[in-house]
Amino acid sequence: DKGGHKHFMAKEIAEQPRVIGEAIMHYLSDDGRSVELPGKGIDFTAIDRLSMVACGTAYYACVTAKYWFEQLAGLPCDVDVASEFRYREPPVPARTAALFVSQSGETADTLAALRYCEGKAATILSVVNVPESSIARESDLALPILAGTEIGVASTKAFTCQLTVLLMLALKAASDRGRMDADTLADTLAKLRALPSAFNAAMEDADDIAAAARKLAEARDILFLGRGLMYPLAMEGALKLKEISYIHAEAYASGELKHGPIALIDKHVPVVVMAPRDALFDKTTSNMQEVIARGGRVLLITDKEGKRITHGDAWLTLTMPDIDPLLAPILYALPAQLLAYHTAIAKGTDVDQPRNLAKSVTVE
Ligand code: M6R
């Protein structure tokens, strides 16, 4: 049942404020001031390292979470694509928590990577959407993301719910490890609780995003740029676009631009720049100016003040509600998803069942 939407993907995008809100409430303590995990939970003072493994969109959720775990909790993190991890046979030091992220919980490479860590890691955690899946069953602690069934092959609500749960886990790690005091934790959780309403506000600008997507649909190649927490989201935006619109899209960390990719810039290659006003905003927008100076057409995704500061220099600007930079990758997933969705609609491709792809990759 598409619930009145044309596609499952549109329905699942629209469900995000509700399911994100439910995931937050599931892990929030009764007084709203701390994070509570099911079962015996995990004591982050007992581990020295976190190793996260996943595929596709779930991998980009892990790359985002690496920034959170390292910055908030001071916990060193590795992130690997499961198909590489399992055959590289990396050493897993004893005080390592291994964390596997998977919507389906059945991805063959991710499951094989989990089995490789059995008997090596101090504990095996998973963040899954399907609680009865193999990955959930074989973990010491499985954390459900509670996104509900996801049917669209292009993952949307599972991604933002994965991010939500991973951020809450990073906040717990920060508090366990004495890196965040109780009031800061409570304040951050209060901001997180306001995220669903920011999502709803952002959805009011869906028409602007659709109009921008119709312009992107004419391109053959598109670049996505971001820094810090926005870099993994740029990768996710590029993946989403190529999966359903078949337009070639690549993401780069903005700072890498002048190390090669800038050679690709001309008026035929639109560049999507993800830039909330965080500590790296000036650096990202100066990369944007380098693109503009070479005739590139920039689609800037920022907030009102970001638009004002950049004087409308970009070819197109999409404005998002103001948000704490820590939470920006979750909120900015929405325009990334809607750009891909409306580009695919403009091109007439099969949004829910893109060619050559399966929802769950149970063979390697
Ligand atoms: O079920 P999983 O989360 O383990 O699946 C991982 C990837 O196959 C999946 O995220 C894939 O990249 C999606 N089609 C992305 O939209």
Side-chain angles (χ1 to χ4, degrees), residues 1-3 5-15 149-154 156-157 341 351-352:
D1 176 21
K2 294 179 189 145
H5 293 271
K6 267 206 193 122
H7 300 96
F8 284 110
M9 185 181 177
K11 173 178 177 251
E12 289 159 5
I13 289 173
E15 280 171 351
T149 309
E150 190 181 65
I151 291 171
V153 166
T156 53
K157 62 175 179 171
Y341 177 75
V351 170
D352 285 333

Side-chain angles (χ1 to χ4, degrees), residues 100-115:
F100 301 86
V101 180
S102 173
Q103 187 284 128
S104 63
E106 300 295 347
T107 299
D109 282 322
T110 311
L111 182 58
L114 181 154
R115 290 178 177 158

Side-chain angles (χ1 to χ4, degrees), residues 55-58 101-105 107 153-155 162 239-240 243 361:
C55 301
T57 285
V101 180
S102 173
Q103 187 284 128
S104 63
T107 299
V153 166
S155 184
Q162 283 161 355
L239 177 69
K240 217 87 297 173
E243 278 191 297
V361 184

Side-chain angles (χ1 to χ4, degrees), residues 225-227 252-261 283-284 287 290:
L225 298 180
R227 270 182 193 261
Y252 293 98
S254 308
E256 274 291 291
L257 196 63
K258 50 168 78 70
H259 299 284
K283 295 200 183 296
T284 307
N287 295 129
E290 289 161 7

Side-chain angles (χ1 to χ4, degrees), residues 30-61:
D30 288 342
D31 65 4
R33 291 178 58 86
S34 60
V35 175
E36 270 177 16
L37 300 181
K40 57 181 166 33
I42 169 171
D43 173 7
F44 280 99
T45 62
I47 62 156
D48 294 336
R49 176 156 220 104
L50 183 65
S51 179
M52 290 186 277
V53 183
C55 301
T57 285
Y59 168 74
Y60 297 135

